[in-house]
Amino acid sequence: EKMNSTMSEEPDALSVVNQLRDLAADPLNRRAIVQDQGCLPGLILFLDHPNPPVVHSALLALRYLAECRANREKMKSELGMMLSLQNVIQKTTTPGETKLLASEVYDILQSSSMSDMDNVNEMNYRRRKAQFFLGSTNKRAKTVVLHIDGLDDSSRRNLCEEALLKIKGVISFTFQMAVQRCVVRIRSDLKAEALATAIASTKVMKAQQVVKSESGEEMLVPFQDTPVEVEQNTDLPEYLPEDESPTKEQDKAVSRVGSHPEGAASWLSTAANFLSRSFYW
């Protein structure tokens, strides 16, 4: 056990960015985070961080923030945003999943201000460019929609997120808590069954795949019960702080932070404060 120093200990970069990512996962916080003076510049600085999990976590936070249309213009025009995303995509040392996630965020922001026709051309151009950067080893990503029995509060969401982050080949995910769904972007060579195996390993949740029939009807398809070998992301540290044990919520569809906006706000100022003071250590 570390001795408690008299001064309160500075949070480290990974715990700060993970906390921001968890706040951004809640749709109720997305506008506030982008309006905040310090958080967006901080996330952009995190994109240049030497520790790969910090970069990936910052990208997940940006991916969540970009889901809110009202945020996209401000995010795109934020100093260094597009350039830093390009750097992540072009860096030879960036892991494949992180490159794909960065180009996904880049595409969303790039397309925010164009007409539809420009959009299509720009997206195609970006995609060709991204494929060029990613090299032939990285096949395209695919999207899998999961219906997760038992995904009914923020502690379950954290468990689910933890399980998915450990799988090599997972790029990003978005939770739709109200309908117990998770939309997962994965590398195309990863089997969707691996996601089900990981979620089943939580012992409290079970996943089925949501697919559309030819008539456009949504159907739930159970996965085979035979567990799939899951390749672990060995270079990632534990993502979530261990001391967090969220209590059961009254309204289960609202995640923990969202139900206490003032808590989120105070946390944001702490994060922004940390970012502005001790970024270049």
Side-chain angles (χ1 to χ4, degrees), residues 9-29:
E9 216 171 285
E10 276 293 355
D12 67 324
L14 190 63
S15 64
V16 169
V17 75
N18 284 349
Q19 186 82 37
L20 274 173
R21 182 203 64 204
D22 291 349
L23 285 170
D26 184 342
L28 299 179
N29 296 328

Side-chain angles (χ1 to χ4, degrees), residues 64-98:
Y64 280 132
L65 296 175
E67 267 179 51
C68 169
R69 263 174 205 287
N71 282 342
R72 290 176 191 170
E73 273 305 308
K74 179 159 178 15
M75 288 176 71
K76 185 186 172 186
S77 59
E78 190 70 41
L79 188 68
M81 172 72 80
M82 302 308 268
L83 208 60
S84 295
L85 288 170
Q86 276 179 317
N87 287 342
V88 174
I89 297 165
Q90 290 168 30
K91 230 187 234 160
T92 49
T93 52
T94 305
E97 288 89 71
T98 306

Side-chain angles (χ1 to χ4, degrees), residues 26-84:
D26 184 342
L28 299 179
N29 296 328
R30 287 175 191 160
R31 294 288 289 272
I33 293 173
V34 169
Q35 295 311 313
D36 183 88
Q37 294 302 300
C39 288
L40 217 48
L43 283 170
I44 293 169
L45 286 169
F46 278 135
L47 295 179
D48 293 328
H49 200 277
N51 187 10
V54 170
V55 177
H56 197 84
S57 196
L59 282 165
L60 277 172
L62 291 170
R63 175 72 183 77
Y64 280 132
L65 296 175
E67 267 179 51
C68 169
R69 263 174 205 287
N71 282 342
R72 290 176 191 170
E73 273 305 308
K74 179 159 178 15
M75 288 176 71
K76 185 186 172 186
S77 59
E78 190 70 41
L79 188 68
M81 172 72 80
M82 302 308 268
L83 208 60
S84 295

Side-chain angles (χ1 to χ4, degrees), residues 110-153:
Q110 188 59 42
S111 61
S112 66
S113 56
M114 289 184 274
S115 72
D116 287 348
M117 202 48 229
D118 286 350
N119 243 333
V120 175
N121 293 339
E122 176 66 26
M123 288 288 239
N124 289 340
Y125 169 68
R126 280 284 320 142
R127 208 156 276 142
R128 281 202 305 277
K129 210 167 161 189
Q131 279 168 313
F132 172 73
F133 291 137
L134 297 171
S136 52
T137 50
N138 256 322
K139 297 190 192 71
R140 287 236 178 125
K142 60 185 177 186
T143 301
V144 179
V145 181
L146 302 175
H147 178 84
I148 302 175
D149 292 313
L151 179 67
D152 51 18
D153 66 17

Side-chain angles (χ1 to χ4, degrees), residues 23-265:
L23 285 170
D26 184 342
L28 299 179
N29 296 328
R30 287 175 191 160
R31 294 288 289 272
I33 293 173
V34 169
Q35 295 311 313
D36 183 88
Q37 294 302 300
C39 288
L40 217 48
L43 283 170
I44 293 169
L45 286 169
F46 278 135
L47 295 179
D48 293 328
H49 200 277
N51 187 10
V54 170
V55 177
H56 197 84
S57 196
L59 282 165
L60 277 172
L62 291 170
R63 175 72 183 77
Y64 280 132
L65 296 175
E67 267 179 51
C68 169
R69 263 174 205 287
N71 282 342
R72 290 176 191 170
E73 273 305 308
K74 179 159 178 15
M75 288 176 71
K76 185 186 172 186
S77 59
E78 190 70 41
L79 188 68
M81 172 72 80
M82 302 308 268
L83 208 60
S84 295
L85 288 170
Q86 276 179 317
N87 287 342
V88 174
I89 297 165
Q90 290 168 30
K91 230 187 234 160
T92 49
T93 52
T94 305
E97 288 89 71
T98 306
K99 283 191 181 191
L100 281 165
L101 178 53
S103 32
E104 200 170 280
V105 175
Y106 188 102
D107 280 350
I108 292 169
L109 298 182
Q110 188 59 42
S111 61
S112 66
S113 56
M114 289 184 274
S115 72
D116 287 348
M117 202 48 229
D118 286 350
N119 243 333
V120 175
N121 293 339
E122 176 66 26
M123 288 288 239
N124 289 340
Y125 169 68
R126 280 284 320 142
R127 208 156 276 142
R128 281 202 305 277
K129 210 167 161 189
Q131 279 168 313
F132 172 73
F133 291 137
L134 297 171
S136 52
T137 50
N138 256 322
K139 297 190 192 71
R140 287 236 178 125
K142 60 185 177 186
T143 301
V144 179
V145 181
L146 302 175
H147 178 84
I148 302 175
D149 292 313
L151 179 67
D152 51 18
D153 66 17
S154 61
S155 62
R156 293 282 177 92
R157 189 190 73 198
N158 287 350
L159 274 178
C160 194
E161 191 168 63
E162 217 167 29
L164 291 173
L165 281 167
K166 286 186 182 139
I167 305 173
K168 205 172 172 52
V170 167
I171 299 162
S172 68
F173 37 78
T174 305
F175 291 100
Q176 298 166 345
M177 296 297 287
V179 287
Q180 294 191 306
R181 282 192 182 178
C182 183
V183 181
V184 192
R185 297 271 294 154
I186 58 176
R187 305 237 318 242
S188 52
D189 48 1
L190 179 67
K191 289 190 168 64
E193 283 75 14
L195 305 177
T197 303
I199 286 163
S201 75
T202 64
K203 304 279 195 288
V204 289
M205 287 176 282
K206 196 171 180 227
Q208 293 173 286
Q209 192 168 356
V210 181
V211 293
K212 275 202 161 85
S213 67
E214 284 177 17
S215 61
E217 293 287 307
E218 287 193 347
M219 300 183 303
L220 292 182
V221 181
F223 288 100
Q224 302 306 314
D225 274 343
T226 49
V228 183
E229 267 304 304
V230 173
E231 195 181 345
Q232 297 280 308
N233 246 332
T234 44
D235 54 345
L236 291 180
E238 280 304 306
Y239 258 76
L240 293 162
E242 278 78 8
D243 57 10
E244 200 175 7
S245 54
T247 49
K248 281 256 185 210
E249 294 301 333
Q250 303 307 305
D251 174 5
K252 294 185 169 175
V254 175
S255 68
R256 186 174 47 86
V257 186
S259 49
H260 308 291
E262 67 285 355

